[in-house]
Amino acid sequence: MLDAREARARRQRELLCALGRPLISFCMNIPGPVKDSPLIRRGFFEGCARLDEALDASGLTVLHRERKLAPTGPELLLAADADAKRLKALCLEIEDRDGLGRLFDLDVLAPDGEKLARSEPRRCLVCGRPGRDCASRRLHSVPELQGAVREILLGGLLQADAARIEELCTHALIEEVETTPKPGLVDLDNNGAHRDMTPDTFRRSAGALRTYWGECFRAGVQGRADAPETCFAALRRRGKEAEHAMLSATGGVNTHKGVIFTLGTVCAAIGRLWSADAPCRDPKRIAEQSACLCRAAVEADFAAVRERGLPHSAGERLFLEFGLGGARGELASGLPGVVEYALPELISGISGGLDRDEAGVRALLRLMARGTDSNLVARGGPELAALTAEKAAALLRSPDMEAVRAFDRDLTARNLSPGGCADLLAVSYFLYDWERDAPSSQE
Ligand SMILES: [Zn+2]
């Protein structure tokens, strides 16, 4: 422990001497002998992310950064081209922001090596009293302190993951509508086969839905021990509220109803699989858990429609006539469109050097080539839907964005729009980003 502290101090002096700029030295404030664990590291990475965000928001340039992951606890040393006092103010804000911040030790060293002091003493981890009184009088046992740290980490990381999920879902919805060209759909070129919506309608709707994704995730975490059906019933109620929020943001236009259902369940599935030290990021497991959540309810829905024999909606008519399950069927069977079609296409496109927009267009064509989009069948009938699927498959074989634009004009003229595929593209964007969102352990 002492060696680690000495090594850090030596490295700090070297950097101060070499760069002549203030340094931030960031460690976790963890009492007791265990200074490193997967949970502690996640707390540390969250602190690093908050620091980067704050430096970035203040327009400050980072001149040097080095990170060390050791049994003595993770450490970050960072030199910035800024006034030491300004850096200290920024670090204090991060330390005092919330519970998790209480676990961050963000020291700022002036170029002459002097450590800037904080004016307000920090509070006790267990009882919240200010000052070092509890520590110097050893008022709390090590297990008590460790328990308090664990609670802070669990609560703070749950909060951080919920915020991250909200951000990534919102981004996925906006990226989906902005992916261009999309045959028959609203994109940046045109409004496709839609008369009542523009990209802006989708952006407003995405904004109104922002907190819904975090709520679904939390509902999943809280319902981890419940039966899937119980958890799903709670989700459906939230989904109805989200639909109202969407309609009031868009003036009554249905932009995201399918995604509210599908992506909301996906977020809840991530919640049910969640652990603070290693959240599940595997799309396949998340898709399986999503299916598990909704299967009983979807089967009951379908059984009711079959029994009634009379469809109440376009979706129910398609189910009765063609056995197409729409968004519900797709989710209940584990999102094959996402896991087997769109996501692999997105991954191979991006890793092969395409930009996300073009990879997204290909992922959409891949979904359309399946020929199961119930919006297409509902509007054009099964023959036209099959022709559309063939055309999408042909475009995938010889990628040419001008030909995709011609296909867009063609579908628009026929009033056809693969809305179900667009929803699955948004889910694919989200799962792609969520899988890659974990900070790396190497550096
Ligand atoms: Zn105390």
PDB file of all heavy atoms in Angstrom, residues 214-250:
ATOM      1  N   GLY A 214     -35.154   4.257 -19.096  1.00  0.00           N
ATOM      2  CA  GLY A 214     -34.568   4.062 -17.776  1.00  0.00           C
ATOM      3  C   GLY A 214     -35.576   3.440 -16.812  1.00  0.00           C
ATOM      4  O   GLY A 214     -35.227   2.590 -15.993  1.00  0.00           O
ATOM      5  N   GLU A 215     -36.848   3.850 -16.935  1.00  0.00           N
ATOM      6  CA  GLU A 215     -37.894   3.270 -16.069  1.00  0.00           C
ATOM      7  C   GLU A 215     -38.054   1.783 -16.341  1.00  0.00           C
ATOM      8  O   GLU A 215     -38.225   0.980 -15.419  1.00  0.00           O
ATOM      9  CB  GLU A 215     -39.236   3.956 -16.328  1.00  0.00           C
ATOM     10  CG  GLU A 215     -39.360   5.333 -15.718  1.00  0.00           C
ATOM     11  CD  GLU A 215     -40.608   6.043 -16.225  1.00  0.00           C
ATOM     12  OE1 GLU A 215     -41.559   5.343 -16.655  1.00  0.00           O
ATOM     13  OE2 GLU A 215     -40.612   7.279 -16.229  1.00  0.00           O
ATOM     14  N   CYS A 216     -38.035   1.406 -17.612  1.00  0.00           N
ATOM     15  CA  CYS A 216     -38.171  -0.014 -17.959  1.00  0.00           C
ATOM     16  C   CYS A 216     -37.000  -0.811 -17.380  1.00  0.00           C
ATOM     17  O   CYS A 216     -37.179  -1.893 -16.826  1.00  0.00           O
ATOM     18  CB  CYS A 216     -38.218  -0.204 -19.475  1.00  0.00           C
ATOM     19  SG  CYS A 216     -39.710   0.450 -20.227  1.00  0.00           S
ATOM     20  N   PHE A 217     -35.798  -0.256 -17.525  1.00  0.00           N
ATOM     21  CA  PHE A 217     -34.602  -0.916 -16.986  1.00  0.00           C
ATOM     22  C   PHE A 217     -34.738  -1.104 -15.474  1.00  0.00           C
ATOM     23  O   PHE A 217     -34.533  -2.203 -14.940  1.00  0.00           O
ATOM     24  CB  PHE A 217     -33.365  -0.073 -17.336  1.00  0.00           C
ATOM     25  CG  PHE A 217     -32.141  -0.414 -16.545  1.00  0.00           C
ATOM     26  CD1 PHE A 217     -31.495  -1.633 -16.722  1.00  0.00           C
ATOM     27  CD2 PHE A 217     -31.615   0.489 -15.631  1.00  0.00           C
ATOM     28  CE1 PHE A 217     -30.350  -1.943 -15.988  1.00  0.00           C
ATOM     29  CE2 PHE A 217     -30.482   0.185 -14.900  1.00  0.00           C
ATOM     30  CZ  PHE A 217     -29.850  -1.031 -15.071  1.00  0.00           C
ATOM     31  N   ARG A 218     -35.142  -0.041 -14.776  1.00  0.00           N
ATOM     32  CA  ARG A 218     -35.307  -0.135 -13.321  1.00  0.00           C
ATOM     33  C   ARG A 218     -36.391  -1.139 -12.942  1.00  0.00           C
ATOM     34  O   ARG A 218     -36.260  -1.877 -11.958  1.00  0.00           O
ATOM     35  CB  ARG A 218     -35.681   1.227 -12.731  1.00  0.00           C
ATOM     36  CG  ARG A 218     -34.532   2.181 -12.648  1.00  0.00           C
ATOM     37  CD  ARG A 218     -35.080   3.558 -12.258  1.00  0.00           C
ATOM     38  NE  ARG A 218     -34.122   4.606 -12.489  1.00  0.00           N
ATOM     39  CZ  ARG A 218     -33.120   4.886 -11.668  1.00  0.00           C
ATOM     40  NH1 ARG A 218     -32.980   4.203 -10.554  1.00  0.00           N
ATOM     41  NH2 ARG A 218     -32.273   5.837 -11.963  1.00  0.00           N
ATOM     42  N   ALA A 219     -37.482  -1.143 -13.723  1.00  0.00           N
ATOM     43  CA  ALA A 219     -38.559  -2.105 -13.448  1.00  0.00           C
ATOM     44  C   ALA A 219     -38.018  -3.529 -13.572  1.00  0.00           C
ATOM     45  O   ALA A 219     -38.385  -4.415 -12.800  1.00  0.00           O
ATOM     46  CB  ALA A 219     -39.726  -1.888 -14.405  1.00  0.00           C
ATOM     47  N   GLY A 220     -37.137  -3.738 -14.532  1.00  0.00           N
ATOM     48  CA  GLY A 220     -36.507  -5.051 -14.704  1.00  0.00           C
ATOM     49  C   GLY A 220     -35.630  -5.409 -13.514  1.00  0.00           C
ATOM     50  O   GLY A 220     -35.668  -6.526 -13.002  1.00  0.00           O
ATOM     51  N   VAL A 221     -34.847  -4.441 -13.040  1.00  0.00           N
ATOM     52  CA  VAL A 221     -33.972  -4.695 -11.888  1.00  0.00           C
ATOM     53  C   VAL A 221     -34.820  -5.010 -10.659  1.00  0.00           C
ATOM     54  O   VAL A 221     -34.575  -5.982  -9.939  1.00  0.00           O
ATOM     55  CB  VAL A 221     -33.062  -3.470 -11.599  1.00  0.00           C
ATOM     56  CG1 VAL A 221     -32.266  -3.684 -10.316  1.00  0.00           C
ATOM     57  CG2 VAL A 221     -32.114  -3.210 -12.767  1.00  0.00           C
ATOM     58  N   GLN A 222     -35.857  -4.185 -10.428  1.00  0.00           N
ATOM     59  CA  GLN A 222     -36.710  -4.398  -9.252  1.00  0.00           C
ATOM     60  C   GLN A 222     -37.469  -5.710  -9.348  1.00  0.00           C
ATOM     61  O   GLN A 222     -37.769  -6.330  -8.337  1.00  0.00           O
ATOM     62  CB  GLN A 222     -37.699  -3.236  -9.102  1.00  0.00           C
ATOM     63  CG  GLN A 222     -37.054  -2.004  -8.494  1.00  0.00           C
ATOM     64  CD  GLN A 222     -37.773  -0.721  -8.901  1.00  0.00           C
ATOM     65  OE1 GLN A 222     -38.874  -0.758  -9.441  1.00  0.00           O
ATOM     66  NE2 GLN A 222     -37.124   0.412  -8.662  1.00  0.00           N
ATOM     67  N   GLY A 223     -37.793  -6.113 -10.588  1.00  0.00           N
ATOM     68  CA  GLY A 223     -38.597  -7.329 -10.766  1.00  0.00           C
ATOM     69  C   GLY A 223     -37.765  -8.569 -11.032  1.00  0.00           C
ATOM     70  O   GLY A 223     -38.282  -9.560 -11.533  1.00  0.00           O
ATOM     71  N   ARG A 224     -36.468  -8.508 -10.701  1.00  0.00           N
ATOM     72  CA  ARG A 224     -35.589  -9.643 -10.990  1.00  0.00           C
ATOM     73  C   ARG A 224     -36.085 -10.937 -10.374  1.00  0.00           C
ATOM     74  O   ARG A 224     -35.978 -12.002 -10.962  1.00  0.00           O
ATOM     75  CB  ARG A 224     -34.166  -9.366 -10.477  1.00  0.00           C
ATOM     76  CG  ARG A 224     -33.295  -8.674 -11.501  1.00  0.00           C
ATOM     77  CD  ARG A 224     -31.905  -8.441 -10.970  1.00  0.00           C
ATOM     78  NE  ARG A 224     -31.904  -7.517  -9.831  1.00  0.00           N
ATOM     79  CZ  ARG A 224     -30.818  -7.031  -9.266  1.00  0.00           C
ATOM     80  NH1 ARG A 224     -29.637  -7.377  -9.720  1.00  0.00           N
ATOM     81  NH2 ARG A 224     -30.891  -6.190  -8.255  1.00  0.00           N
ATOM     82  N   ALA A 225     -36.637 -10.830  -9.159  1.00  0.00           N
ATOM     83  CA  ALA A 225     -37.060 -12.044  -8.456  1.00  0.00           C
ATOM     84  C   ALA A 225     -38.497 -12.432  -8.818  1.00  0.00           C
ATOM     85  O   ALA A 225     -38.947 -13.523  -8.477  1.00  0.00           O
ATOM     86  CB  ALA A 225     -36.934 -11.825  -6.954  1.00  0.00           C
ATOM     87  N   ASP A 226     -39.214 -11.552  -9.500  1.00  0.00           N
ATOM     88  CA  ASP A 226     -40.620 -11.856  -9.839  1.00  0.00           C
ATOM     89  C   ASP A 226     -40.702 -12.795 -11.032  1.00  0.00           C
ATOM     90  O   ASP A 226     -39.762 -12.931 -11.806  1.00  0.00           O
ATOM     91  CB  ASP A 226     -41.362 -10.564 -10.217  1.00  0.00           C
ATOM     92  CG  ASP A 226     -41.440  -9.581  -9.059  1.00  0.00           C
ATOM     93  OD1 ASP A 226     -41.257 -10.029  -7.909  1.00  0.00           O
ATOM     94  OD2 ASP A 226     -41.647  -8.381  -9.316  1.00  0.00           O
ATOM     95  N   ALA A 227     -41.882 -13.407 -11.181  1.00  0.00           N
ATOM     96  CA  ALA A 227     -42.134 -14.194 -12.382  1.00  0.00           C
ATOM     97  C   ALA A 227     -42.117 -13.253 -13.579  1.00  0.00           C
ATOM     98  O   ALA A 227     -42.498 -12.087 -13.456  1.00  0.00           O
ATOM     99  CB  ALA A 227     -43.486 -14.883 -12.271  1.00  0.00           C
ATOM    100  N   PRO A 228     -41.681 -13.745 -14.757  1.00  0.00           N
ATOM    101  CA  PRO A 228     -41.622 -12.874 -15.934  1.00  0.00           C
ATOM    102  C   PRO A 228     -42.969 -12.209 -16.236  1.00  0.00           C
ATOM    103  O   PRO A 228     -43.004 -11.022 -16.595  1.00  0.00           O
ATOM    104  CB  PRO A 228     -41.226 -13.820 -17.070  1.00  0.00           C
ATOM    105  CG  PRO A 228     -40.766 -15.074 -16.458  1.00  0.00           C
ATOM    106  CD  PRO A 228     -41.179 -15.100 -15.034  1.00  0.00           C
ATOM    107  N   GLU A 229     -44.064 -12.948 -16.045  1.00  0.00           N
ATOM    108  CA  GLU A 229     -45.390 -12.394 -16.376  1.00  0.00           C
ATOM    109  C   GLU A 229     -45.722 -11.193 -15.491  1.00  0.00           C
ATOM    110  O   GLU A 229     -46.306 -10.208 -15.936  1.00  0.00           O
ATOM    111  CB  GLU A 229     -46.506 -13.431 -16.198  1.00  0.00           C
ATOM    112  CG  GLU A 229     -46.314 -14.732 -16.957  1.00  0.00           C
ATOM    113  CD  GLU A 229     -45.449 -15.722 -16.208  1.00  0.00           C
ATOM    114  OE1 GLU A 229     -45.942 -16.320 -15.232  1.00  0.00           O
ATOM    115  OE2 GLU A 229     -44.264 -15.892 -16.576  1.00  0.00           O
ATOM    116  N   THR A 230     -45.348 -11.291 -14.206  1.00  0.00           N
ATOM    117  CA  THR A 230     -45.626 -10.200 -13.263  1.00  0.00           C
ATOM    118  C   THR A 230     -44.854  -8.950 -13.683  1.00  0.00           C
ATOM    119  O   THR A 230     -45.393  -7.837 -13.716  1.00  0.00           O
ATOM    120  CB  THR A 230     -45.171 -10.602 -11.842  1.00  0.00           C
ATOM    121  OG1 THR A 230     -45.651 -11.914 -11.587  1.00  0.00           O
ATOM    122  CG2 THR A 230     -45.677  -9.644 -10.804  1.00  0.00           C
ATOM    123  N   CYS A 231     -43.594  -9.181 -14.008  1.00  0.00           N
ATOM    124  CA  CYS A 231     -42.737  -8.069 -14.423  1.00  0.00           C
ATOM    125  C   CYS A 231     -43.280  -7.450 -15.711  1.00  0.00           C
ATOM    126  O   CYS A 231     -43.323  -6.217 -15.860  1.00  0.00           O
ATOM    127  CB  CYS A 231     -41.333  -8.616 -14.627  1.00  0.00           C
ATOM    128  SG  CYS A 231     -40.074  -7.374 -14.767  1.00  0.00           S
ATOM    129  N   PHE A 232     -43.729  -8.305 -16.641  1.00  0.00           N
ATOM    130  CA  PHE A 232     -44.193  -7.812 -17.930  1.00  0.00           C
ATOM    131  C   PHE A 232     -45.495  -7.014 -17.794  1.00  0.00           C
ATOM    132  O   PHE A 232     -45.708  -6.028 -18.498  1.00  0.00           O
ATOM    133  CB  PHE A 232     -44.372  -8.970 -18.917  1.00  0.00           C
ATOM    134  CG  PHE A 232     -44.628  -8.514 -20.317  1.00  0.00           C
ATOM    135  CD1 PHE A 232     -43.625  -7.891 -21.047  1.00  0.00           C
ATOM    136  CD2 PHE A 232     -45.870  -8.683 -20.909  1.00  0.00           C
ATOM    137  CE1 PHE A 232     -43.846  -7.448 -22.338  1.00  0.00           C
ATOM    138  CE2 PHE A 232     -46.108  -8.246 -22.196  1.00  0.00           C
ATOM    139  CZ  PHE A 232     -45.100  -7.626 -22.920  1.00  0.00           C
ATOM    140  N   ALA A 233     -46.357  -7.432 -16.853  1.00  0.00           N
ATOM    141  CA  ALA A 233     -47.612  -6.700 -16.638  1.00  0.00           C
ATOM    142  C   ALA A 233     -47.317  -5.267 -16.202  1.00  0.00           C
ATOM    143  O   ALA A 233     -47.960  -4.316 -16.658  1.00  0.00           O
ATOM    144  CB  ALA A 233     -48.457  -7.420 -15.592  1.00  0.00           C
ATOM    145  N   ALA A 234     -46.311  -5.107 -15.342  1.00  0.00           N
ATOM    146  CA  ALA A 234     -45.921  -3.767 -14.905  1.00  0.00           C
ATOM    147  C   ALA A 234     -45.376  -2.959 -16.083  1.00  0.00           C
ATOM    148  O   ALA A 234     -45.628  -1.756 -16.205  1.00  0.00           O
ATOM    149  CB  ALA A 234     -44.872  -3.860 -13.794  1.00  0.00           C
ATOM    150  N   LEU A 235     -44.645  -3.643 -16.961  1.00  0.00           N
ATOM    151  CA  LEU A 235     -44.087  -2.966 -18.141  1.00  0.00           C
ATOM    152  C   LEU A 235     -45.181  -2.457 -19.066  1.00  0.00           C
ATOM    153  O   LEU A 235     -45.091  -1.380 -19.626  1.00  0.00           O
ATOM    154  CB  LEU A 235     -43.243  -3.945 -18.948  1.00  0.00           C
ATOM    155  CG  LEU A 235     -41.794  -4.131 -18.573  1.00  0.00           C
ATOM    156  CD1 LEU A 235     -41.158  -5.071 -19.573  1.00  0.00           C
ATOM    157  CD2 LEU A 235     -41.069  -2.809 -18.552  1.00  0.00           C
ATOM    158  N   ARG A 236     -46.200  -3.280 -19.256  1.00  0.00           N
ATOM    159  CA  ARG A 236     -47.281  -2.888 -20.168  1.00  0.00           C
ATOM    160  C   ARG A 236     -47.951  -1.604 -19.708  1.00  0.00           C
ATOM    161  O   ARG A 236     -48.311  -0.758 -20.511  1.00  0.00           O
ATOM    162  CB  ARG A 236     -48.319  -4.015 -20.281  1.00  0.00           C
ATOM    163  CG  ARG A 236     -47.936  -5.011 -21.339  1.00  0.00           C
ATOM    164  CD  ARG A 236     -49.157  -5.747 -21.863  1.00  0.00           C
ATOM    165  NE  ARG A 236     -48.851  -6.293 -23.186  1.00  0.00           N
ATOM    166  CZ  ARG A 236     -49.601  -7.204 -23.804  1.00  0.00           C
ATOM    167  NH1 ARG A 236     -50.692  -7.660 -23.244  1.00  0.00           N
ATOM    168  NH2 ARG A 236     -49.249  -7.649 -24.984  1.00  0.00           N
ATOM    169  N   ARG A 237     -48.113  -1.474 -18.390  1.00  0.00           N
ATOM    170  CA  ARG A 237     -48.713  -0.234 -17.860  1.00  0.00           C
ATOM    171  C   ARG A 237     -47.832   0.960 -18.188  1.00  0.00           C
ATOM    172  O   ARG A 237     -48.296   1.998 -18.637  1.00  0.00           O
ATOM    173  CB  ARG A 237     -48.912  -0.350 -16.344  1.00  0.00           C
ATOM    174  CG  ARG A 237     -50.085  -1.248 -15.954  1.00  0.00           C
ATOM    175  CD  ARG A 237     -50.442  -1.077 -14.486  1.00  0.00           C
ATOM    176  NE  ARG A 237     -49.381  -1.524 -13.596  1.00  0.00           N
ATOM    177  CZ  ARG A 237     -49.206  -2.806 -13.223  1.00  0.00           C
ATOM    178  NH1 ARG A 237     -50.004  -3.749 -13.687  1.00  0.00           N
ATOM    179  NH2 ARG A 237     -48.223  -3.137 -12.409  1.00  0.00           N
ATOM    180  N   ARG A 238     -46.524   0.799 -17.992  1.00  0.00           N
ATOM    181  CA  ARG A 238     -45.597   1.885 -18.339  1.00  0.00           C
ATOM    182  C   ARG A 238     -45.628   2.184 -19.825  1.00  0.00           C
ATOM    183  O   ARG A 238     -45.520   3.337 -20.246  1.00  0.00           O
ATOM    184  CB  ARG A 238     -44.166   1.502 -17.953  1.00  0.00           C
ATOM    185  CG  ARG A 238     -43.887   1.638 -16.494  1.00  0.00           C
ATOM    186  CD  ARG A 238     -42.568   0.971 -16.141  1.00  0.00           C
ATOM    187  NE  ARG A 238     -42.559   0.627 -14.736  1.00  0.00           N
ATOM    188  CZ  ARG A 238     -42.159   1.451 -13.787  1.00  0.00           C
ATOM    189  NH1 ARG A 238     -41.737   2.652 -14.104  1.00  0.00           N
ATOM    190  NH2 ARG A 238     -42.177   1.090 -12.533  1.00  0.00           N
ATOM    191  N   GLY A 239     -45.755   1.125 -20.626  1.00  0.00           N
ATOM    192  CA  GLY A 239     -45.794   1.290 -22.079  1.00  0.00           C
ATOM    193  C   GLY A 239     -46.981   2.145 -22.505  1.00  0.00           C
ATOM    194  O   GLY A 239     -46.869   2.993 -23.390  1.00  0.00           O
ATOM    195  N   LYS A 240     -48.127   1.932 -21.851  1.00  0.00           N
ATOM    196  CA  LYS A 240     -49.323   2.740 -22.166  1.00  0.00           C
ATOM    197  C   LYS A 240     -49.060   4.217 -21.870  1.00  0.00           C
ATOM    198  O   LYS A 240     -49.420   5.095 -22.658  1.00  0.00           O
ATOM    199  CB  LYS A 240     -50.528   2.261 -21.334  1.00  0.00           C
ATOM    200  CG  LYS A 240     -51.086   0.929 -21.798  1.00  0.00           C
ATOM    201  CD  LYS A 240     -51.912   1.083 -23.079  1.00  0.00           C
ATOM    202  CE  LYS A 240     -52.127  -0.270 -23.758  1.00  0.00           C
ATOM    203  NZ  LYS A 240     -51.920  -0.265 -25.218  1.00  0.00           N
ATOM    204  N   GLU A 241     -48.431   4.472 -20.720  1.00  0.00           N
ATOM    205  CA  GLU A 241     -48.103   5.872 -20.367  1.00  0.00           C
ATOM    206  C   GLU A 241     -47.148   6.468 -21.397  1.00  0.00           C
ATOM    207  O   GLU A 241     -47.280   7.637 -21.780  1.00  0.00           O
ATOM    208  CB  GLU A 241     -47.452   5.933 -18.975  1.00  0.00           C
ATOM    209  CG  GLU A 241     -48.415   5.603 -17.845  1.00  0.00           C
ATOM    210  CD  GLU A 241     -47.693   5.278 -16.538  1.00  0.00           C
ATOM    211  OE1 GLU A 241     -46.490   5.629 -16.408  1.00  0.00           O
ATOM    212  OE2 GLU A 241     -48.330   4.671 -15.660  1.00  0.00           O
ATOM    213  N   ALA A 242     -46.192   5.656 -21.836  1.00  0.00           N
ATOM    214  CA  ALA A 242     -45.227   6.144 -22.837  1.00  0.00           C
ATOM    215  C   ALA A 242     -45.935   6.467 -24.149  1.00  0.00           C
ATOM    216  O   ALA A 242     -45.605   7.448 -24.815  1.00  0.00           O
ATOM    217  CB  ALA A 242     -44.132   5.109 -23.051  1.00  0.00           C
ATOM    218  N   GLU A 243     -46.921   5.654 -24.505  1.00  0.00           N
ATOM    219  CA  GLU A 243     -47.680   5.934 -25.732  1.00  0.00           C
ATOM    220  C   GLU A 243     -48.385   7.290 -25.623  1.00  0.00           C
ATOM    221  O   GLU A 243     -48.418   8.070 -26.580  1.00  0.00           O
ATOM    222  CB  GLU A 243     -48.710   4.833 -26.003  1.00  0.00           C
ATOM    223  CG  GLU A 243     -48.083   3.570 -26.584  1.00  0.00           C
ATOM    224  CD  GLU A 243     -49.103   2.450 -26.793  1.00  0.00           C
ATOM    225  OE1 GLU A 243     -50.325   2.743 -26.846  1.00  0.00           O
ATOM    226  OE2 GLU A 243     -48.667   1.286 -26.888  1.00  0.00           O
ATOM    227  N   HIS A 244     -48.947   7.570 -24.452  1.00  0.00           N
ATOM    228  CA  HIS A 244     -49.593   8.882 -24.251  1.00  0.00           C
ATOM    229  C   HIS A 244     -48.575  10.011 -24.397  1.00  0.00           C
ATOM    230  O   HIS A 244     -48.854  11.032 -25.031  1.00  0.00           O
ATOM    231  CB  HIS A 244     -50.259   8.959 -22.873  1.00  0.00           C
ATOM    232  CG  HIS A 244     -51.519   8.147 -22.786  1.00  0.00           C
ATOM    233  ND1 HIS A 244     -52.581   8.366 -23.635  1.00  0.00           N
ATOM    234  CD2 HIS A 244     -51.877   7.124 -21.984  1.00  0.00           C
ATOM    235  CE1 HIS A 244     -53.543   7.490 -23.351  1.00  0.00           C
ATOM    236  NE2 HIS A 244     -53.140   6.726 -22.355  1.00  0.00           N
ATOM    237  N   ALA A 245     -47.399   9.817 -23.804  1.00  0.00           N
ATOM    238  CA  ALA A 245     -46.349  10.849 -23.892  1.00  0.00           C
ATOM    239  C   ALA A 245     -45.960  11.077 -25.348  1.00  0.00           C
ATOM    240  O   ALA A 245     -45.784  12.218 -25.787  1.00  0.00           O
ATOM    241  CB  ALA A 245     -45.131  10.435 -23.071  1.00  0.00           C
ATOM    242  N   MET A 246     -45.844   9.965 -26.104  1.00  0.00           N
ATOM    243  CA  MET A 246     -45.499  10.061 -27.526  1.00  0.00           C
ATOM    244  C   MET A 246     -46.569  10.843 -28.279  1.00  0.00           C
ATOM    245  O   MET A 246     -46.261  11.782 -29.021  1.00  0.00           O
ATOM    246  CB  MET A 246     -45.376   8.653 -28.114  1.00  0.00           C
ATOM    247  CG  MET A 246     -45.319   8.608 -29.639  1.00  0.00           C
ATOM    248  SD  MET A 246     -45.479   6.919 -30.275  1.00  0.00           S
ATOM    249  CE  MET A 246     -47.261   6.676 -30.178  1.00  0.00           C
ATOM    250  N   LEU A 247     -47.843  10.472 -28.057  1.00  0.00           N
ATOM    251  CA  LEU A 247     -48.928  11.112 -28.810  1.00  0.00           C
ATOM    252  C   LEU A 247     -49.033  12.595 -28.482  1.00  0.00           C
ATOM    253  O   LEU A 247     -49.309  13.414 -29.359  1.00  0.00           O
ATOM    254  CB  LEU A 247     -50.255  10.394 -28.535  1.00  0.00           C
ATOM    255  CG  LEU A 247     -50.338   8.967 -29.103  1.00  0.00           C
ATOM    256  CD1 LEU A 247     -51.615   8.273 -28.649  1.00  0.00           C
ATOM    257  CD2 LEU A 247     -50.243   8.966 -30.626  1.00  0.00           C
ATOM    258  N   SER A 248     -48.781  12.944 -27.218  1.00  0.00           N
ATOM    259  CA  SER A 248     -48.912  14.375 -26.923  1.00  0.00           C
ATOM    260  C   SER A 248     -47.710  15.145 -27.464  1.00  0.00           C
ATOM    261  O   SER A 248     -47.833  16.321 -27.796  1.00  0.00           O
ATOM    262  CB  SER A 248     -49.179  14.633 -25.434  1.00  0.00           C
ATOM    263  OG  SER A 248     -48.040  14.368 -24.694  1.00  0.00           O
ATOM    264  N   ALA A 249     -46.554  14.492 -27.607  1.00  0.00           N
ATOM    265  CA  ALA A 249     -45.392  15.191 -28.187  1.00  0.00           C
ATOM    266  C   ALA A 249     -45.510  15.350 -29.700  1.00  0.00           C
ATOM    267  O   ALA A 249     -44.932  16.259 -30.275  1.00  0.00           O
ATOM    268  CB  ALA A 249     -44.105  14.432 -27.843  1.00  0.00           C
ATOM    269  N   THR A 250     -46.248  14.435 -30.339  1.00  0.00           N
ATOM    270  CA  THR A 250     -46.302  14.461 -31.805  1.00  0.00           C
ATOM    271  C   THR A 250     -47.624  15.012 -32.325  1.00  0.00           C
ATOM    272  O   THR A 250     -47.855  15.018 -33.536  1.00  0.00           O
ATOM    273  CB  THR A 250     -46.142  13.038 -32.381  1.00  0.00           C
ATOM    274  OG1 THR A 250     -47.213  12.222 -31.887  1.00  0.00           O
ATOM    275  CG2 THR A 250     -44.809  12.427 -32.000  1.00  0.00           C
TER     276      THR A 250
END
